[in-house]
Amino acid sequence: AFNWGLSFPLIKITLDYISPHAFVFIRFGITLLLFILIYPKIFNNIKWQDLKYGLILGVFVYIGFITQTIGLVITSAQKSAFITGTYVVILPFIQYFIIKKVPKLENIIGVILVTVGLFFLTQVQYSNFNIGDFLTLICALFFAIHIVYLDKFLNQNGADYKALVLGQFLVMTVFGLISMTTYEIAITDEFFINYDTMAVIYLLYTAIVCTLIAWIIINRYQGYTSPVKAGIIYSMELVFAVFAAYFIISETLEFDQVVGAVIMVTGMAISEFYGYIRIKKSKA
């Protein structure tokens, strides 16, 4: 969550030197190559059914990433963080309809507090809604769907997490290549790559840390928690995103944003620990 939050301003800087579709393709192309180098025998050890689940997840992730990346060109890093974070509001409903799992009371309280905190943290009330915000809202919807289906494939279908990761990286790389060549190169002529040392470093950081390592972690361990609790934890990236935007690209940080961050962390704490406290008290 920390590294995802840090990536918001870094990606915004990098998009001054590389077009959005090209960024997505290169980011996931690097990730896919490194993943295969780490697991060179992956294609010999996976089941087609598990890989298919990964490909499905990859479609959700691609739609989320490409809409967020294009939206970030138009909107601010803070607004992007807020709207992306609304997936925590969508998650309980998606979870119920897909896996018929009702969130616990503490999870619902956590979702409400996180959403209220997000509102203050990102100061979205001071900005007008634009097309970049709409694209980011689509991103939030598909991120929520991805979280719930990942839980379904891991827990109900018993899929191998490595196959899921591979499928997602394959889709992201192939779709990124297609969208870059057809949309940015052939249709709009908006493709560009301008060399900049720091942009290269930021691109490698998002590919290796924010994608490769992060995706292995979430696909390996999300199955041990619920989709809603996972979503609340992931939403902490937005706390880090706003503070990172302040320190890295000098986006303003006001008192109400600090208050919002505290509310969000409180919401996460209630969702994560209230159940344990209640059990401990009942045993006492």
Side-chain angles (χ1 to χ4, degrees):
F2 170 80
N3 285 292
W4 283 348
L6 185 57
S7 73
F8 274 88
L10 299 185
I11 291 173
K12 191 166 182 65
I13 293 172
T14 307
L15 291 175
D16 289 333
Y17 301 93
I18 182 170
S19 52
H21 293 263
F23 174 84
V24 170
F25 165 63
I26 296 173
R27 173 181 178 176
F28 278 88
I30 292 171
T31 305
L32 175 63
L33 177 62
L34 292 175
F35 183 78
I36 294 174
L37 289 175
I38 294 172
Y39 302 103
K41 298 181 179 180
I42 184 70
F43 289 100
N44 298 327
N45 300 325
I46 60 174
K47 299 177 181 177
W48 160 245
Q49 186 64 42
D50 292 347
L51 181 60
K52 185 176 75 172
Y53 293 145
L55 296 175
I56 293 171
L57 291 173
V59 173
F60 299 147
V61 176
Y62 175 77
I63 296 174
F65 266 97
I66 198 63
T67 51
Q68 183 189 58
T69 303
I70 297 172
L72 196 53
V73 176
I74 304 169
T75 191
S76 69
Q78 291 181 353
K79 283 181 71 179
S80 176
F82 170 75
I83 299 171
T84 300
T86 59
Y87 67 75
V88 298
V89 181
I90 305 169
L91 261 172
F93 303 100
I94 302 277
Q95 174 179 286
Y96 177 75
F97 284 113
I98 294 177
I99 61 177
K100 308 302 180 185
K101 192 172 184 178
V102 179
K104 295 180 181 178
L105 176 61
E106 58 264 31
N107 300 151
I108 297 298
I109 295 173
V111 166
I112 293 172
L113 288 175
V114 165
T115 306
V116 171
L118 271 171
F119 181 79
F120 290 107
L121 178 72
T122 56
Q123 295 187 319
V124 72
Q125 68 270 30
Y126 301 128
S127 304
N128 294 323
F129 195 82
N130 58 44
I131 186 63
D133 301 330
F134 176 73
L135 290 172
T136 311
L137 188 60
I138 295 175
C139 154
L141 172 63
F142 278 91
F143 278 176
I145 294 173
H146 173 268
I147 290 172
V148 176
Y149 267 104
L150 176 58
D151 180 88
K152 175 180 172 64
F153 294 150
L154 286 172
N155 290 321
Q156 295 185 13
N157 301 94
D160 175 23
Y161 77 93
K162 293 178 184 176
L164 297 182
V165 173
L166 176 62
Q168 291 169 79
F169 289 166
L170 282 169
V171 169
M172 290 295 295
T173 303
V174 172
F175 279 24
L177 176 62
I178 293 172
S179 66
M180 181 186 70
T181 54
T182 57
Y183 181 77
E184 286 188 341
I185 296 178
I187 299 176
T188 65
D189 195 29
E190 294 177 351
F191 170 83
F192 67 90
I193 297 179
N194 299 318
Y195 178 79
D196 178 81
T197 301
M198 293 309 299
V200 172
I201 293 173
Y202 296 157
L203 176 58
L204 291 174
Y205 173 82
T206 58
I208 297 171
V209 179
C210 303
T211 311
L212 177 64
I213 296 175
W215 241 247
I216 291 174
I217 289 173
I218 66 172
N219 283 268
R220 176 68 179 86
Y221 294 106
Q222 187 189 295
Y224 292 98
T225 188
S226 71
V228 172
K229 288 181 71 176
I232 291 173
I233 294 171
Y234 296 154
S235 73
M236 291 302 105
E237 72 170 293
L238 308 171
V239 175
F240 297 121
V242 170
F243 283 90
Y246 170 75
F247 286 109
I248 296 174
I249 58 177
S250 301
E251 290 191 358
T252 57
L253 181 62
E254 306 293 342
F255 175 75
D256 55 350
Q257 293 180 287
V258 178
V259 173
V262 172
I263 294 173
M264 285 187 67
V265 173
T266 302
M268 185 193 71
I270 291 174
S271 175
E272 189 66 25
F273 300 114
Y274 179 77
Y276 298 112
I277 296 172
R278 184 174 55 191
I279 293 173
K280 189 173 181 179
K281 283 186 176 180
S282 65
K283 289 182 178 180

